[in-house]
């Protein structure tokens, strides 16, 4: 299954190391937290975001808070060299906390846990793409679907979306 993954770390070497460990994944890397935040606003949601905590400007904790305002279901993993931020990381509902010195050993284990978590979530969401944008609706929020002229209109609590297809 393809997941949208982002990494934000002011040290490019750690972005590259994560990409090397998760070889089969498409990963968007950012060395600046504001660029990462802009990408979330422009491109849409990510399934998983790996964040460094100690970054210039907007730090990883602040970035996590802002991202979660737009998407409370995103999985955030803090990857940092500073253990003293661990408690704060969990205050923003981090999925895991990984020390950079343990990246090679810990990331495959965490990635396995993430895949299990996402598999469970995917069963509860209706996900589709329309006009190069990914949309995700909780099944419990969908009121009904209607089909009109090869378009499906999804009616959810507080929202309506259109996608191409049929209800066959």
């Amino acid at each position: 299954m393809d997941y949208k993954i982002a990494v934000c770390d002011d040290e490019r070497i750690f972005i590259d190391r994560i990409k090397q460990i998760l070889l089969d994944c498409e990963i968007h890397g950012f060395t600046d937290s504001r660029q990462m935040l802009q990408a979330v606003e422009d491109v849409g949601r990510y399934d998983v975001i790996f964040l460094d905590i100690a970054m210039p400007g907007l730090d990883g904790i602040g970035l996590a808070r802002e991202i979660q305002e737009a998407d409370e279901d995103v999985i955030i993993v803090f990857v940092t060299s500073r253990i003293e931020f661990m408690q704060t990381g969990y205050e923003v509902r981090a999925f895991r906390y990984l020390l950079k010195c343990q990246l090679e050993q810990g990331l495959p284990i965490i990635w396995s846990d993430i895949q299990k978590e996402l598999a469970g979530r995917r069963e509860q969401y209706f996900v589709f793409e329309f006009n190069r944008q990914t949309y995700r609706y909780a099944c419990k929020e969908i009121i009904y679907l209607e089909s009109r002229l090869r378009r499906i209109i999804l009616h959810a609590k507080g929202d309506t979306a259109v996608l191409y297809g049929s209800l066959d």
Side-chain angles (χ1 to χ4, degrees), residues 46-166:
Y46 286 95
D47 296 299
V48 182
I49 300 176
F50 295 93
L51 296 177
D52 185 14
I53 293 179
M55 293 188 289
L58 181 64
D59 68 8
I61 301 294
L63 179 57
R65 284 190 176 110
E66 291 200 32
I67 290 169
Q68 287 174 333
E69 284 181 24
D71 183 4
E72 63 187 30
D73 292 329
V74 65
I75 291 178
I76 294 177
V77 176
F78 286 113
V79 181
T80 189
S81 56
R82 313 270 309 266
I83 197 165
E84 63 267 22
F85 293 118
M86 187 178 292
Q87 181 63 38
T88 307
Y90 286 114
E91 289 173 11
V92 293
R93 299 183 322 255
F95 183 77
R96 295 284 189 282
Y97 186 98
L98 180 61
L99 291 173
K100 288 180 177 180
C101 64
Q102 299 173 346
L103 197 59
E104 282 77 12
Q105 301 82 19
L107 187 54
I109 296 165
I110 290 172
W111 181 243
S112 177
D113 292 344
I114 288 170
Q115 288 177 305
K116 290 174 190 168
E117 176 72 18
L118 288 172
R121 289 182 184 186
R122 289 246 190 251
E123 295 171 5
Q124 301 169 10
Y125 289 90
F126 178 66
V127 180
F128 65 94
E129 285 192 28
F130 184 73
N131 288 339
R132 300 172 67 176
Q133 185 79 12
T134 301
Y135 296 89
R136 183 178 69 152
Y137 288 87
C139 291
K140 65 183 178 185
E141 300 293 317
I142 297 173
I143 300 168
Y144 68 95
L145 300 169
E146 67 177 292
S147 179
R148 245 191 268 161
L149 302 173
R150 291 181 280 152
R151 289 186 180 201
I152 298 173
I153 303 164
L154 180 145
H155 298 272
K157 293 179 185 174
D159 196 17
T160 301
V162 177
L163 61 140
Y164 290 113
S166 66

